[in-house]
Amino acid sequence: MPLEPYLRGKVYWVKGWIEYNSRPIAGPYRQSTRSTSEAGARDWISEETELQIRKHIVGEERALRFADAIELYQPDSRSARQLLPILDEIGSLPLAAITGRLLKNLGPKLRPNASTDTWWREIVTPARAVINNAHELKGTPLLRVRRYDQFERNAQDKRRGKTSRVERVPATRAWIDAFCAEADPYNAAMARFMFETAARIDQAVSLTPDDLRPEKCQVRVKAQKGHPESWITVSPEMMEELLELRPKRPRNRRTGVILAPRIFGYASPTGYNNRWKTICRRAGIPYLSAHAAGRHGFFTELVIRQGVDPVTAARAGRWSDANLPMSIYAHPETDEADIRARFRTSPVQTRLSDDDNIQKSHGEIKDE
């Protein structure tokens, strides 16, 4: 028998079988449609019937649509927001019909004024995660997507009239000193902590009193970016500065919940922004984000200014591959004019005359 909706409480349910050529192919069904209206329940029946017929004809792994793959996926709140417009656009497509090029072409359609990096992060990456999760669970095709190349990135930057991947300016000791001279004790300590340890802003604002080991001068930083939770050693001066701070209990602005005590008093990784802009303005220094002041400043300070070898600096900053910080976090500080001037500087070694060179080439100059 075909599916029929019936009301159970405030939600419509369905019961019966799905038929194809007058033969039952799926069921029996007795489940909720998650709809509070009969029209919504009948839409569910139509979609489910279409899916089951496709499964019956071509097999489950080729019949699953993007919308079905999302049902198998468990996104967090951020990924769910990113997936909603993608679902509206390609939700009805079978997974086997979705290609890397198709996902990349969603960028100009859904976010025409965004950069290719944003397209990759907020469109391609979450969609690919849904598709490859279905591959692991149901054996649907695995999807690999090639990143946007520099030509695609430059073309999009030209269309939107804005340059992406602007090079960050790393903090210097002078910038840190000027910042801390104007800042309150909490923000001064946080800036020095990130500059000394290469901690990320989320790791810094998440610190609690339980994350300190004063006797060993160690601080526990949370897991992030694929790296496990770890204890890192800080200088005695840094530990003393952290211990002098009275922990604060910040309030979550969205939920109103008062959080557990935190060393620097911030509830979220973005809460520092406005305060830091004010401090920089009063100090007469350019504004730097926590990432530029911390991780970029840390690696540039060690490798470029102090000459520490990149492998040692990468390990101290908890990078698993020294090539990554060398390509992103190491900022050269030699002025281009100085480089060009080197070609006009007389070499230290006295140059042999042309006659001497000719004689030497013929073996006429002998050692005495």
Side-chain angles (χ1 to χ4, degrees):
M1 61 177 289
L3 292 179
E4 289 294 335
Y6 68 95
L7 186 62
R8 180 174 177 180
K10 295 183 179 179
V11 178
Y12 276 84
W13 283 53
V14 295
K15 61 181 178 179
W17 291 77
I18 290 178
E19 297 180 353
Y20 178 68
N21 288 339
S22 302
R23 296 179 58 187
I25 60 171
Y29 281 83
R30 186 180 180 86
Q31 64 187 68
S32 171
T33 64
R34 302 178 185 176
S35 174
T36 57
S37 67
E38 183 174 351
R42 293 197 178 279
D43 287 341
W44 185 94
I45 292 173
S46 177
E47 292 177 0
E48 181 68 10
T49 300
E50 181 183 349
L51 172 62
Q52 294 300 334
I53 290 175
R54 285 204 313 273
K55 286 183 179 180
H56 178 72
I57 296 174
V58 300
E60 181 179 13
E61 68 279 359
R62 296 186 59 84
L64 286 176
R65 304 163 302 172
F66 186 79
D68 305 316
I70 286 185
E71 292 291 331
L72 302 172
Y73 193 61
Q74 295 182 348
D76 55 26
S77 58
R78 180 180 180 182
S79 296
R81 290 193 299 271
Q82 295 171 343
L83 287 168
L84 284 175
I86 303 172
L87 177 62
D88 292 339
E89 195 66 32
I90 63 171
S92 61
L93 288 181
L95 295 182
I98 300 176
T99 64
R101 174 52 58 185
L102 186 149
L103 291 186
K104 290 171 68 174
N105 287 342
L106 289 178
K109 191 169 186 178
L110 300 179
R111 301 285 300 276
N113 296 320
S115 67
T116 55
D117 290 340
T118 300
W119 292 346
W120 181 266
R121 183 176 60 253
E122 299 186 5
I123 297 176
V124 176
T125 298
R128 182 184 58 181
V130 168
I131 293 170
N132 288 341
N133 177 69
H135 164 74
E136 293 183 0
L137 298 178
K138 297 293 185 178
T140 56
L142 177 68
L143 181 64
R144 292 186 174 90
V145 188
R146 182 177 298 177
R147 279 186 172 272
Y148 295 97
D149 59 34
Q150 62 179 352
F151 301 104
E152 293 171 310
R153 183 173 68 250
N154 293 339
Q156 174 61 8
D157 287 348
K158 185 176 181 179
R159 280 192 292 269
R160 68 195 190 109
K162 185 178 180 181
T163 302
S164 59
R165 297 193 180 183
V166 177
E167 185 175 359
R168 294 180 187 267
V169 177
T172 63
R173 286 183 177 273
W175 188 94
I176 293 291
D177 291 342
F179 179 92
C180 293
E182 187 63 36
D184 58 275
Y186 290 89
N187 284 285
M190 188 168 76
R192 276 193 280 259
F193 174 74
M194 289 187 293
F195 185 70
E196 179 178 316
T197 65
R200 296 181 180 276
I201 181 61
D202 189 37
Q203 293 173 321
V205 300
S206 300
L207 292 183
T208 69
D210 293 337
D211 294 323
L212 304 183
R213 284 179 180 170
E215 68 283 357
K216 295 184 178 180
C217 282
Q218 289 183 332
V219 178
R220 178 171 54 194
V221 293
K222 65 186 291 187
Q224 201 167 56
K225 293 283 186 177
H227 296 280
E229 174 188 290
S230 61
W231 288 91
I232 60 176
T233 301
V234 298
S235 64
E237 294 80 6
M238 186 75 256
M239 179 57 68
E240 182 178 351
E241 191 170 358
L242 294 176
L243 293 175
E244 288 178 356
L245 299 177
R246 183 178 179 181
K248 297 180 180 180
R249 300 192 65 184
R251 182 188 299 272
N252 187 307
R253 294 183 179 180
R254 288 190 299 176
T255 64
V257 175
I258 297 178
L259 305 177
R262 296 192 174 188
I263 298 294
F264 299 119
Y266 285 111
S268 72
T270 58
Y272 77 97
N273 260 314
N274 290 335
R275 179 60 181 157
W276 275 39
K277 290 178 181 177
T278 300
I279 294 171
C280 291
R281 185 175 65 252
R282 291 177 178 175
I285 55 178
Y287 168 76
L288 296 182
S289 68
H291 199 62
R295 286 177 78 76
H296 285 262
F298 168 89
F299 198 80
T300 300
E301 173 68 25
L302 287 184
V303 175
I304 303 300
R305 302 179 192 129
Q306 297 190 27
V308 176
D309 71 271
V311 174
T312 299
R315 178 172 296 180
R318 298 169 304 287
W319 283 281
S320 57
D321 183 357
N323 292 320
L324 174 63
M326 279 299 293
S327 63
I328 297 177
Y329 294 89
H331 300 268
E333 297 188 329
T334 302
D335 186 73
E336 185 177 356
D338 294 337
I339 295 295
R340 306 304 176 214
R342 292 174 182 266
F343 290 93
R344 298 294 180 180
T345 304
S346 299
V348 176
Q349 184 177 1
T350 303
R351 182 184 175 191
L352 292 173
S353 67
D354 291 340
D355 292 341
D356 289 341
N357 283 330
I358 293 173
Q359 292 175 356
K360 188 173 181 179
S361 67
H362 287 80
E364 298 178 6
I365 297 179
K366 300 180 180 179
D367 295 334
E368 295 181 356

